[in-house]
Amino acid sequence: MASMKNPSEVPEQPPLSPADPAPPGSRLRKNLELCTWEGLTAMPLVFLTLPGNFIIALLLTQVFDLRESVYGLIVSLPAWCNVIQLFLMPFLMRRWSQKGLTLAFGWGHLVCWLALAAALPVIPQDNPLVAAQLFFILFLASSFLQSVVGVSWTSWVQEWIPQRLRGTFFGKRNRLCQIATIVFLLAAGQVLAWFEPTDPIRGFQLLMLVAIGLRAFSLFAQQRILGSSPAAQDERAVKWSDQLKLIRGSPSLVWLIAFGAAFGMAANFLGPFFAVFMYDILELNVARVGALVVTSSITGAFSLPGWGRFLDRYGNRPVMVFTLGLWMVMSYGWIFIHPGNTWVLFFLFAGGGVFSAGFFLGSFSLLLKLVPPQAKTAAISFNLAATSITAAIAPILGGGLLDLLSPLVENRLRILQAVALVHHSLVLSTLVILLKVREPRSASVGQVVGAMRSYRQVGALLGLSFLVNYTFIRRAKQAKDPDSET
């Protein structure tokens, strides 16, 4: 992608008629297929874009030796940019469609990563101050462009994906996206291991270029998605101030935004530093950390279709409460981790992959369900800004706290144990706010827990339907033919 396209150059598709709120069957099937392919090929660059991932953590803290406080500042950039986009979206919405914004800023984001890949060899490894300044600028540009893409894409897909299909479709789509991420992470671990003894920078460059090439394919797939809805046209005619009034008049949406802000603060205060601890305190190499992340991605991928069916049947909020609670309680196991028992992390990451998949899929579906149709972009933008401002402040505070504690605590393992206790307790406490959300046509948390008692449901959730069905079919056959047991 040589240059950033002007949004006005993106050809507009004719809106759907009021009697046709979703694209016709053949067009909808084509759009869903293209949406799946664009997600699959976007995942490697999306994964790299968030600086808190283990690959970028390795690059910044181990290769370029940036301090934890500086790393925390860079990790916070996506959240700060999510706040900035709130003030730009009213201006952008009046002039361009959501599809136009998604494509234009998507190409700009890709060009930014081309610049980062090209600049890696010239960034000095022996001068952390200069390296920090250059990385700050490049990740700031990347984060800003991606913040607009995140809002416009979410608003755009709501225009043409019917609500009745969202849980099931995104469950299946996200599973395939997780598989794509797994393949990329397995390849990334091998590539970084090959280049680490000789020229690690070349390894990172290769990964970035592959991710950029796949993202280009993703943007071309997005270009081919057709259709819009009349609500999209009506929304652009509504004043931004009137849209904000619609948001304030939706109490459940306000509570969801408050929960997102609290969750962003709790999760990002100390959460981004677990990747650093795995390298520095637990003494894991990049291959081992990559294997842990892949384990989480695999279990999440297998569970996503099951969570999608649960969300469609029981509702989003009860599933979110159930999954976040179990995820955090299980993760207290970090308190007992030391360099001699790091194999336990595979169980923690495997369980975390299952429960986090259900939680984040539910949060996305719940937001799409609660936003007012005439103010969907404003609601999504405001939600992103409100939840991100706390997520922006949190890692800066967390990094500063760890910088203060490091000289005072001789045994760094104690720091990890304290961080694990505080981090998971803070995240778990945000459930108090989530319980305030009222979701139309949803079950209670108790009903979700009751459904999970059936090992048939659990087997389906974990992608083991074939095994569960075989067990039931085999039992049925045995009941009909007692002689078969001889």
Side-chain angles (χ1 to χ4, degrees):
M1 306 180 197
S3 63
M4 178 174 173
K5 291 186 177 180
N6 189 325
S8 62
E9 296 176 1
V10 178
E12 293 285 339
Q13 302 298 333
L16 303 174
S17 66
D20 186 16
S26 59
R27 184 194 296 181
L28 178 59
R29 284 192 295 271
K30 184 66 174 178
N31 284 352
L32 294 177
E33 180 182 339
L34 289 170
C35 186
T36 300
W37 277 109
E38 67 90 5
L40 283 172
T41 50
M43 286 310 296
L45 191 58
V46 170
F47 183 84
L48 292 177
T49 295
L50 298 176
N53 69 78
F54 79 96
I55 295 177
I56 301 302
L58 177 68
L59 175 68
L60 299 183
T61 65
Q62 306 300 309
V63 177
F64 287 94
D65 198 27
L66 301 189
R67 294 175 56 191
E68 290 169 341
S69 57
V70 176
Y71 173 69
L73 177 61
I74 293 176
V75 167
S76 74
L77 289 176
W80 286 115
C81 291
N82 287 338
V83 176
I84 295 172
Q85 59 77 30
L86 175 65
F87 302 98
L88 293 178
M89 287 305 293
F91 170 80
L92 298 173
M93 280 179 55
R94 288 196 297 268
R95 287 159 177 79
W96 299 302
S97 69
Q98 301 305 328
K99 179 178 180 179
L101 290 173
T102 301
L103 288 169
F105 282 80
W107 283 109
H109 177 256
L110 187 144
V111 171
C112 180
W113 274 85
L114 274 175
L116 177 58
L120 273 185
V122 300
I123 297 177
Q125 297 184 44
D126 56 351
N127 192 333
L129 178 60
V130 174
Q133 292 171 343
L134 293 175
F135 280 120
F136 180 87
I137 293 171
L138 291 169
F139 276 103
L140 176 62
S142 168
S143 299
F144 168 70
L145 294 167
Q146 185 61 24
S147 69
V148 176
V149 172
V151 173
S152 58
W153 181 88
T154 304
S155 179
W156 177 36
V157 297
Q158 196 212 34
E159 294 178 8
W160 56 268
I161 299 181
Q163 180 174 321
R164 68 183 186 278
L165 299 178
R166 289 174 189 163
T168 301
F169 169 69
F170 281 112
K172 294 179 179 178
R173 178 185 183 271
N174 288 6
R175 177 177 65 173
L176 294 175
C177 290
Q178 285 280 66
I179 293 173
T181 304
I182 291 167
V183 173
F184 175 72
L185 293 179
L186 289 173
Q190 290 297 321
V191 169
L192 294 178
W194 287 337
F195 282 91
E196 184 178 11
T198 55
D199 191 354
I201 295 297
R202 294 297 178 189
F204 286 104
Q205 269 190 310
L206 180 59
L207 292 181
M208 291 180 185
L209 292 175
V210 170
I212 289 167
L214 291 171
R215 178 58 172 150
F217 182 92
S218 170
L219 290 167
F220 284 122
Q222 287 181 349
Q223 173 67 48
R224 295 178 59 195
I225 294 177
L226 305 175
S228 181
S229 71
Q233 309 301 322
D234 296 340
E235 179 192 22
R236 294 164 70 176
V238 179
K239 292 182 180 180
W240 191 259
S241 58
D242 293 335
Q243 295 186 39
L244 293 180
K245 290 180 182 178
L246 288 173
I247 296 171
R248 290 197 299 270
S250 304
S252 288
L253 178 60
V254 173
W255 277 115
L256 180 63
I257 293 172
F259 165 73
F263 180 83
M265 171 63 81
N268 289 281
F269 178 55
L270 297 169
F273 302 97
F274 279 86
V276 180
F277 294 153
M278 285 190 286
Y279 293 123
D280 288 348
I281 299 177
L282 300 180
E283 301 174 355
L284 301 180
N285 56 33
V286 64
R288 191 71 179 273
V289 175
L292 291 170
V293 176
V294 167
T295 299
S296 175
S297 299
I298 290 174
T299 57
F302 274 108
S303 67
L304 275 168
W307 287 126
R309 290 189 290 271
F310 260 71
L311 294 171
D312 288 339
R313 182 172 181 179
Y314 296 102
N316 301 288
R317 193 211 67 159
V319 173
M320 290 172 62
V321 172
F322 175 77
T323 52
L324 182 59
L326 284 184
W327 181 16
M328 290 301 107
V329 170
M330 178 196 66
S331 296
Y332 278 115
W334 273 93
I335 298 173
F336 308 102
I337 298 297
H338 55 78
N341 68 351
T342 54
W343 57 269
V344 177
L345 288 175
F346 282 96
F347 294 98
L348 298 182
F349 272 75
V354 172
F355 296 121
S356 64
F359 172 75
F360 288 115
L361 181 61
S363 63
F364 177 73
S365 298
L366 182 58
L367 176 63
L368 294 185
K369 188 175 182 179
L370 295 181
V371 294
Q374 299 301 319
K376 59 181 177 58
T377 303
I380 294 169
S381 179
F382 185 77
N383 172 75
L384 187 61
T387 56
S388 294
I389 192 167
T390 55
I393 297 171
I396 299 175
L397 298 176
L401 176 64
L402 292 174
D403 275 351
L404 291 175
L405 290 178
S406 294
L408 301 176
V409 181
E410 184 177 352
N411 186 350
R412 286 180 58 80
L413 183 60
R414 298 294 180 220
I415 295 179
L416 171 59
Q417 293 169 340
V419 165
L421 176 62
V422 172
H423 169 73
H424 297 107
S425 298
L426 286 175
V427 176
L428 191 61
S429 68
T430 62
L431 284 176
V432 175
I433 303 176
L434 181 58
L435 290 171
K436 299 284 188 180
V437 177
R438 293 291 176 262
E439 179 186 4
R441 299 182 301 278
S442 66
S444 66
V445 178
Q447 288 175 294
V448 177
V449 174
M452 292 295 291
R453 290 174 183 168
S454 166
Y455 74 85
R456 192 180 183 112
Q457 293 275 15
V458 176
L461 181 62
L462 297 177
L464 301 176
S465 299
F466 71 94
L467 180 59
V468 176
N469 290 335
Y470 170 77
T471 303
F472 275 85
I473 291 170
R474 185 170 182 270
R475 286 180 178 178
K477 286 182 178 180
Q478 290 174 349
K480 291 179 181 179
D481 184 11
D483 294 335
S484 64
E485 300 206 11
T486 59

